[in-house]
Amino acid sequence: MAEEAAQEHPGPSAPRPVRCIVKLGGAAITNKGELESINEESLRSACAQLRQAMSESEGDGAPEKVLGMDWSKRHGDPADPAVDAEWIAGMAGLGLDTNFIVVHGAGSFGHFQASRSGVHKGGLHSTLVKAGFVATRISVTSLNQEIVRALAREGIPSVGMSPFTCGWSTSQRKIASANASQIIQSLHAGFVPVLHGDAVLDELLDCTILSGDVIIRHLAQLLSPKYVVFLKWMIKEAGLL
């Protein structure tokens, strides 16, 4: 099925193999016992290790100045973000191998909304399921934005991508269509795509949940990365990390 989906939407071919697909498990980056609660320390640690894995410099032990890319004001910040435009304009490059894809789980985001409404079972004729579909996507996309921001604060040029808005769909919960052209084009441009488990349309059930693990399996078949790394319960040394 994955091969058929790839043939449906061939898109541009990658110039070189994807170095790594990283799965950030929901249990590793959220507090699963608290509704929509991020484990900030674990997320910061994961993002810092990803930056280290991407770094192209051997380093001399001195602290590296990071180009933070989250220029939005966060709730409670006393002042607007400081952006040193002159320093940024003079940089020769980021010094990072950005040929990575990140996929994250939902953890304490999305599960409550999906389970209360039965989105995974389908049936958009039901007002409850339709409302739950919307609520689930609001929750998981809000987590996606926070992860993109955390990566951006580490100087990683990340862009959030939702399977639903990229046109991914299923048939009886198996991938029926998965257009990867936007992912590949983003890699070409030097961005790190950040995908997530999502509520999607299903040809037979009307809708269902497409998990991050299924997304990773499909992308691994399609793009043949050198590494696939899963960070689930804690941040560990894992091959290239």
Side-chain angles (χ1 to χ4, degrees):
M1 182 67 70
E3 290 79 2
E4 292 175 8
Q7 289 170 6
E8 278 182 38
H9 305 284
S13 59
R16 56 196 172 101
V18 172
R19 183 180 174 196
C20 186
I21 299 177
V22 179
K23 168 68 184 299
L24 299 180
I29 56 174
T30 71
N31 301 306
K32 291 203 76 170
E34 301 176 37
L35 179 62
E36 297 184 343
S37 171
I38 296 174
N39 186 328
E40 300 284 357
E41 181 181 356
S42 182
L43 180 57
R44 278 195 301 269
S45 177
C47 293
Q49 290 196 43
L50 277 173
R51 177 181 173 81
Q52 184 179 2
M54 293 176 183
S55 179
E56 294 176 331
S57 64
E58 297 184 6
D60 55 6
E64 183 183 10
K65 186 174 181 180
V66 173
L67 167 56
M69 298 181 187
D70 181 6
W71 299 352
S72 299
K73 187 173 181 179
R74 298 177 68 82
H75 180 70
D77 287 349
D80 294 342
V83 178
D84 189 344
E86 185 176 350
W87 172 68
I88 296 170
M91 293 179 67
L94 296 176
L96 300 176
D97 175 3
T98 57
N99 208 23
F100 280 60
I101 296 172
V102 175
V103 181
H104 65 82
S108 60
F109 289 72
H111 288 296
F112 167 78
Q113 294 85 350
S115 62
R116 287 296 296 269
S117 60
V119 168
H120 60 291
K121 299 177 182 178
L124 285 174
H125 59 277
S126 163
T127 304
L128 175 62
V129 173
K130 185 163 289 184
F133 188 98
V134 173
T136 299
R137 295 211 66 254
I138 288 172
S139 184
V140 295
T141 54
S142 68
L143 175 61
N144 181 255
Q145 183 182 51
E146 290 305 312
I147 292 173
V148 168
R149 295 186 73 171
L151 290 165
R153 288 193 290 273
E154 284 293 331
I156 298 171
S158 50
V159 289
M161 294 188 182
S162 294
F164 176 82
T165 54
C166 286
W168 289 42
S169 63
T170 59
S171 179
Q172 276 196 315
R173 302 189 180 93
K174 296 180 181 179
I175 290 179
S177 178
N179 188 346
S181 61
Q182 190 173 355
I183 297 170
I184 295 171
Q185 288 168 4
S186 297
L187 289 167
H188 284 191
F191 292 109
V192 175
V194 183
L195 291 85
H196 58 90
D198 203 359
V200 297
L201 300 179
D202 186 281
E203 292 176 359
L204 298 179
L205 303 173
D206 290 341
C207 64
T208 192
I209 299 297
L210 178 61
S211 74
D213 287 343
V214 172
I215 293 169
I216 284 220
R217 186 159 59 245
H218 177 77
L219 292 177
Q221 292 172 351
L222 190 65
L223 301 175
S224 301
K226 187 174 182 181
Y227 301 97
V228 177
V229 175
F230 289 79
L231 302 180
K232 290 192 174 181
W233 293 100
M234 61 183 69
I235 307 304
K236 295 181 177 179
E237 292 293 323
L240 78 167
L241 294 178

